[in-house]
């Protein structure tokens, strides 16, 4: 007996896929919202909502595992959806802290789309994207162990 817990690889893959799609959609939507005047308020509200749902979502993901489960993909997807607010916290915080006229200023100075992506967005959102990736993998591993 090795002492390692049972592990479900399909649950890991499904959970990681759901959390990655949610993080990518939130990043794209957040960048689009920043261009609007009301976008900063929406991002602040989304950050507060994610913060309010992070701990209950984590507890919901833990509670959805157990001997009463039927199996299948539905509980795994629900566990991953419960973990999404926790995963999105660093990204929403980074998007909320970006200066409002940064893209317009860079475009006005002659920076093209690729230069803005490489010179602005990757350095500013890179550390939070790394934190999102670490939290997504940790959540997927937790779901895989709970469902194993």
């Amino acid at each position: 007996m090795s002492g390692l817990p049972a592990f479900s690889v399909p649950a890991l893959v499904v959970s990681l896929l759901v959390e990655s799609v949610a993080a990518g959609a939130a990043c794209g939507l957040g960048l689009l919202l920043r261009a609007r005047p009301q976008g900063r308020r929406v991002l602040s509200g989304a950050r507060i909502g994610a913060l309010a749902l992070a701990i209950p979502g984590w507890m919901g993901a833990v509670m959805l595992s157990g001997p009463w489960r039927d199996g299948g993909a539905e509980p795994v997807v629900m566990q991953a959806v419960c973990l999404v607010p926790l995963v999105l916290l660093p990204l929403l915080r980074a998007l909320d802290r970006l200066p409002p006229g940064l893209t317009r200023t860079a475009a006005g100075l002659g920076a093209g789309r690729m230069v803005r992506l490489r010179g602005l967005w990757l350095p500013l959102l890179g550390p939070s994207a790394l934190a999102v990736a670490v939290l997504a993998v940790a959540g997927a591993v937790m779901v895989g162990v709970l469902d194993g």
Side-chain angles (χ1 to χ4, degrees), residues 12-13 15-24 26-27 83-92 94 125-142:
L12 173 93
V13 171
S15 178
L16 196 56
L17 182 67
V18 168
E19 292 169 10
S20 300
V21 167
C27 184
L83 291 173
V84 165
L86 180 66
V87 169
L88 292 182
L89 277 176
L91 183 65
L92 290 173
L125 296 178
S128 64
L130 181 64
V132 165
V134 167
L135 285 172
V137 169
V141 167
M142 182 187 83

Side-chain angles (χ1 to χ4, degrees), residues 7-138:
F7 191 75
S8 172
V9 175
L12 173 93
V13 171
V14 168
S15 178
L16 196 56
L17 182 67
V18 168
E19 292 169 10
S20 300
V21 167
C27 184
L29 188 62
L31 289 174
L32 287 175
L33 280 174
R34 285 193 74 260
R36 311 269 188 274
Q38 300 86 4
R40 293 187 61 83
R41 284 187 294 217
V42 172
L43 282 174
S44 294
R47 185 174 53 90
I48 291 169
L51 185 61
L53 292 173
I55 300 299
W58 181 77
M59 291 304 297
V62 171
M63 294 299 290
L64 281 171
S65 66
W68 54 84
R69 279 197 40 199
D70 306 3
E74 296 88 9
V76 174
V77 171
M78 286 304 299
Q79 284 175 316
V81 168
C82 286
L83 291 173
V84 165
L86 180 66
V87 169
L88 292 182
L89 277 176
L91 183 65
L92 290 173
R93 179 65 180 150
L95 285 170
D96 195 28
R97 294 187 67 191
L98 292 176
L102 191 61
T103 304
R104 188 174 38 223
T105 303
L109 291 173
R113 286 183 185 258
M114 289 308 295
V115 172
R116 286 188 303 229
L117 176 69
R118 190 178 65 240
L120 289 177
W121 300 123
L122 288 181
L124 291 173
L125 296 178
S128 64
L130 181 64
V132 165
V134 167
L135 285 172
V137 169

